[in-house]
Amino acid sequence: LVPRQGWAQPPASAPSPRRHALLVGVSALKLQPAALWLQGPAHDVQALRALLPGLGVAPARTRVLADGLGPRAPSAPPTRAALLQALDALTAELAAGDEVLLYWSGHGVRSTPAAPSAPAGPDGLSTWLLAQDAARAPAGSPWPLAGALASAEVGGRIDAWLARGAQVCVVFDTCYAGGSTRAGGDPAQGLRWRGLRTEELASHASALPPTHPPALPTAGPPLRDTDCVALLACDSLQRTPEWRSPQGPVRGLFSAALCDALAQGRAGWDHAALVRATQARHAQLAASLKLPRSAWPVPQFSGALGRPLWLAPAAG
């Protein structure tokens, strides 16, 4: 999902950037059995949203597409169409020097690529992020899923932001292991894995997009390798869980660790300091779930981690 590296803050002499956040949380898969739904994404989004003012992101530049937040926390429904519209609207709004946080909490699957030219992993499959209207496409369809965003679609939008001169951070608290199951762990803890197999999804003809594969953005100009940093819950073939902590609601393991680390942030922190704090907290939480060490997800971090963390106010 991540095309480039580095979440940057401009030098002190540069004009203050505008900071933008797009937060996505998909808990309820409306066309699927409730057994496949999640509980944590709504709480993950709420927790991160509460931290945004301390990261210099104004409410006016915060877009939220999530379900389950309640009437006191307005948001748009996270359908495929709404998500693509929000990604493209942000592209049109960005100017050189702006900074962007893209956060996604929900289910991921591994399935066939959206197009022959789309990138695939070592297993020949691509990552898809499930939107609220996710469904399996009927046999013979030119794509495997409806109501889902292919990795190339998300990555292409990130490339468009970078081409406009924006600095980008992406955070994904999802699974990418299409061959895994949701078994294992203690049901009493509310533990559920954030990943599904394509065949677990029900098919709904009413959810299908037009009769052609998703349009993939064309390649843009070469991009600098210090423009995007990635904070990922696990590697491309692992699972990551959500669970009900003793102190609160169901949360994603990675999101809880990241938010706890951000809350500890101090002046002078760079992203490497955030990574260290996140890793330490993630290990504490994973140990509390009493899972075998072999089942622990391994968070992945890449980019210019030596750059300053967003802790100072930004203009706009």
Side-chain angles (χ1 to χ4, degrees):
L1 284 172
V2 183
R4 302 291 183 262
Q5 299 181 353
W7 181 14
Q9 178 156 321
S13 58
S16 296
R18 299 181 304 170
R19 289 180 180 160
H20 309 258
L22 174 54
L23 310 183
V24 179
V26 184
S27 300
L29 302 177
K30 295 294 189 179
L31 301 179
Q32 302 302 319
L36 301 184
W37 295 12
L38 297 170
Q39 298 181 47
H43 302 130
D44 293 339
V45 166
Q46 289 173 323
L48 185 56
R49 190 182 204 175
L51 294 172
L52 290 182
L55 300 177
V57 185
R61 299 201 180 278
T62 300
R63 291 174 169 87
V64 179
L65 289 89
D67 51 13
L69 300 188
R72 305 181 74 176
S75 65
T79 63
R80 170 180 160 82
L83 288 164
L84 289 174
Q85 182 179 26
L87 290 166
D88 291 338
L90 183 54
T91 303
E93 185 177 330
L94 293 177
D98 283 1
E99 300 171 334
V100 181
L101 168 64
L102 171 61
Y103 171 82
W104 192 303
S105 176
H107 270 312
V109 302
R110 299 281 289 168
S111 192
T112 53
S117 60
D123 55 1
L125 303 178
S126 290
T127 299
W128 295 74
L129 298 175
L130 300 188
Q132 187 182 71
D133 51 340
R136 180 164 46 87
S141 299
W143 59 88
L145 298 168
L149 273 66
S151 58
E153 293 181 289
V154 179
R157 269 72 180 185
I158 296 171
D159 277 343
W161 301 345
L162 296 169
R164 284 180 171 263
Q167 307 290 337
V168 181
C169 175
V170 294
V171 180
F172 292 106
D173 191 352
T174 65
C175 281
Y176 299 100
S180 66
T181 68
R182 291 171 289 111
D186 183 357
Q189 293 180 299
L191 190 145
R192 183 181 298 273
W193 298 101
R194 292 186 168 184
L196 298 172
R197 297 188 304 271
T198 304
E199 56 268 27
E200 291 182 89
L201 297 170
S203 176
H204 283 268
S206 62
L208 293 179
T211 55
H212 55 74
L216 303 181
T218 57
L223 302 171
R224 294 171 298 176
D225 62 2
T226 58
D227 290 335
C228 180
V229 71
L231 310 176
L232 308 176
C234 56
D235 71 24
S236 61
L237 296 177
Q238 281 189 312
R239 305 179 299 171
T240 189
E242 65 177 30
W243 93 113
R244 185 178 300 280
S245 67
Q247 296 78 27
V250 174
R251 296 286 308 282
L253 173 63
F254 181 71
S255 291
L258 178 64
C259 287
D260 287 351
L262 279 170
Q264 301 170 20
R266 299 289 184 270
W269 268 32
D270 57 13
H271 286 83
L274 175 64
V275 165
R276 290 191 294 270
T278 300
Q279 289 174 319
R281 184 60 176 149
H282 188 273
Q284 291 175 343
L285 294 175
S288 74
L289 296 181
K290 300 180 181 180
L291 293 173
R293 188 62 184 260
S294 61
W296 287 18
V298 180
Q300 304 293 302
F301 307 95
S302 65
L305 300 179
R307 292 187 179 276
L309 188 63
W310 288 7
L311 291 173

